[in-house]
Amino acid sequence: QAVARGIVYVPEDRGKQGAITAMPIFQNVTLPSLGRTSRSGFLNLAEEFALARTYSERLDLRAAALDQPVGELSGGNQQKVVIAKWLATRPKVIILDEPTKGIDVGSKAAVHAFMAELAAEGLSVIMVSSEIPEILGMSDRVIVMREGRIAAEFDREGLTPEKLVRAAAGYKESAA
């Protein structure tokens, strides 16, 4: 229902929840979009490859070929496959849970740049992150959750690491 309404979720654990690592890249990318790549119940391999190629190029996926198993890719490229998979559904909202966890600095920068590009195109991007520099650098608005509830809300202006940590730890702002 969420996908049908344009809401997609990129999980934190891409290997267990985000991708089927034994399957090739192109099948992972097109899996949630089979309605676009099949006719009368038959998959169109050319359309699957075309769809996968479009999003793989857009995300600068580094792979030998689109029929390469996802499990053979680096962590950053596996993350790009999972993001491509959900972008291929043409969502309105994308929720990225720890999008740069366990990937190298270059891939991190590429994911951040792509997130900014998506937001500039009008896609709503919700990032869940435990990395303070990532939160400060990527967010227009920050919601701090503590014990399942909203503990604080901040705009980008005036947000500091100290304010973020205090809110996460449950300390109230002092009246100065």
Side-chain angles (χ1 to χ4, degrees):
Q1 289 176 339
V3 174
R5 292 184 173 157
I7 303 169
V8 297
Y9 174 72
V10 177
E12 177 179 353
D13 189 342
R14 62 187 162 265
K16 291 182 181 165
Q17 299 172 329
I20 301 171
T21 57
M23 285 176 54
I25 295 165
F26 80 95
Q27 287 179 331
N28 268 276
V29 172
T30 61
L31 194 59
S33 304
L34 292 178
R36 290 176 49 202
T37 60
S38 63
R39 302 289 175 266
S40 302
F42 292 96
L43 290 174
N44 182 321
L45 196 58
E47 286 187 35
E48 277 194 285
F49 267 95
L51 184 62
R53 188 175 302 108
T54 296
Y55 288 95
S56 296
E57 287 173 358
R58 187 168 179 201
L59 283 160
D60 194 26
L61 177 71
R62 305 294 168 114
L66 291 176
D67 59 358
Q68 181 178 359
V70 172
E72 293 179 2
L73 301 173
S74 69
N77 282 305
Q78 286 181 19
Q79 183 72 325
K80 290 176 183 179
V81 169
V82 177
I83 293 170
K85 170 174 97 170
W86 292 114
L87 288 179
T89 68
R90 300 183 194 139
K92 295 176 188 142
V93 177
I94 186 167
I95 303 167
L96 299 155
D97 190 352
E98 300 287 351
T100 60
K101 182 179 180 182
I103 62 176
D104 63 84
V105 173
S107 293
K108 232 180 227 201
V111 169
H112 286 161
F114 193 68
M115 287 169 54
E117 181 184 317
L118 292 173
E121 290 173 5
L123 184 70
S124 295
V125 179
I126 299 172
M127 177 185 68
V128 178
S129 180
S130 56
E131 295 185 29
I132 291 174
E134 182 171 61
I135 295 167
L136 294 172
M138 294 298 302
S139 303
D140 293 322
R141 191 171 76 170
V142 175
I143 305 289
V144 177
M145 302 291 292
R146 188 172 179 343
E147 297 177 0
R149 297 182 183 269
I150 295 175
E153 181 177 344
F154 301 100
D155 286 328
R156 168 180 250 151
E157 301 298 318
L159 181 59
T160 64
E162 293 78 19
K163 285 182 181 180
L164 202 52
V165 170
R166 288 183 66 78
Y171 294 109
K172 302 287 182 202
E173 283 291 317
S174 58

